[in-house]
Amino acid sequence: MRTSSSTARLLTIVVALVLTPIALILLSVGGQTMNLTLLAYGFDGDVTPLIGPVLLQALGLALLVLVALTGIRSSAGLIVVGLSSIGPLVVAVLPVTLSWLYRVTPREWGDGLLYGVPLIVLASLGAMGLVLALVRRDPRPKSGVLGGIGLIASPLLLVAGAGAIAWGIADGTLFALQRFQFDIRPGAAGAVVAGTVLVVAGVLLTRWSPFALILPAVALLAVGVALIAAPDATVPMLFQLPRPLNTVVPSMLLYAGGAAAGVLYLAFTAVLLRVRAQSRRSEQAPSAPATYPPATYPPTATTPATYPPA
């Protein structure tokens, strides 16, 4: 078993807690302009207004990759930042909290919360930290049957989880803000919670199959690139999704929710393979023979030998 030092744990926690919020803010700021340009105002074919937002989101994605790479040293940073997903989860379940946040924070920051991007990113990071912690304790690969199950089940769970979160946000948070009715909608709240659990479960299955996230990552990145490179063709296709998914999924992608998940999945796959290899080498390394101090004995008094008289 290979464990991390206290210094590595503290360092990764600090890095994750500092870089992750900055990355999410950059994604949200860039996403607002992209959302307004491609959806609200109508796209006229000029991509010039999208250059700045794309660069901001690219910087945010790079910071998220750095956060994922901290898992090479320790799982603590990812686990701690994953626990902060409770905040976005509360916002999605209790829409009135988002209206409060809009009063004290810039609108650009709150829009990312509105479309569930921080929830998906933070929940995934926390699950990645748990997987790395388990691998450090037991780096042995699982059986081929479990690996096959993980390879198939993980993408299905991730798709189902993201869909449930999007449906819950559309029927809960978005519905509340559009109509100024902030009562809790049990169905929407349950969908968000269930979707979060499914996303976490999908990432956790990489404990069985380390390559399970590659296919979802490639698909998400392809959709993200197509959305920017050919919005006239991609956006109408997204609007063909069942309602209310088509009211949330396009904006969720424009706020780089899909790109963030895809980049994190690829980075985590590399980190997982690295940590597994390190842990296996640590287990196979011969241990040094134990050394003991030389034995010492207390001095004993010698008594003269006695013989019978001759």
Side-chain angles (χ1 to χ4, degrees), residues 9-19 77:
R9 295 191 190 100
L10 179 60
L11 181 61
T12 56
I13 290 173
V14 172
V15 171
L17 290 178
V18 171
L19 295 186

Side-chain angles (χ1 to χ4, degrees), residues 42-111:
F43 185 58
D44 58 1
D46 183 14
V47 297
T48 304
L50 301 180
I51 296 177
V54 168
L55 292 177
L56 286 177
Q57 291 187 335
L59 179 58
L61 295 177
L63 294 180
L64 288 178
V65 170
L66 292 178
V67 173
L69 292 178
T70 62
I72 296 176
R73 297 296 305 275
S74 172
S75 311
L78 298 178
I79 293 175
V80 170
V81 81
L83 292 176
S84 63
S85 62
I86 296 175
L89 182 61
V90 171
V91 170
V93 172
L94 303 174
V96 68
T97 58
L98 185 58
S99 67
W100 296 340
L101 288 174
Y102 274 133
R103 299 173 187 173
V104 298
T105 61
R107 173 78 187 214
E108 295 84 355
W109 298 14
D111 282 353

Side-chain angles (χ1 to χ4, degrees), residues 7 12 76 78 88 99 105 116 128-129 144 164 180 189 194 215 220 237 256 284 289 299 308:
T7 303
T12 56
L78 298 178
S99 67
T105 61
M128 292 172 185
F180 293 97
L215 179 59
L220 288 170
M237 291 177 59
Q284 295 171 359

Side-chain angles (χ1 to χ4, degrees), residues 169-187:
I169 289 174
D171 196 53
T173 309
L174 198 59
F175 177 91
L177 291 178
Q178 290 174 344
R179 294 167 175 79
F180 293 97
Q181 299 176 8
F182 296 103
D183 297 335
I184 298 178
R185 298 171 66 85

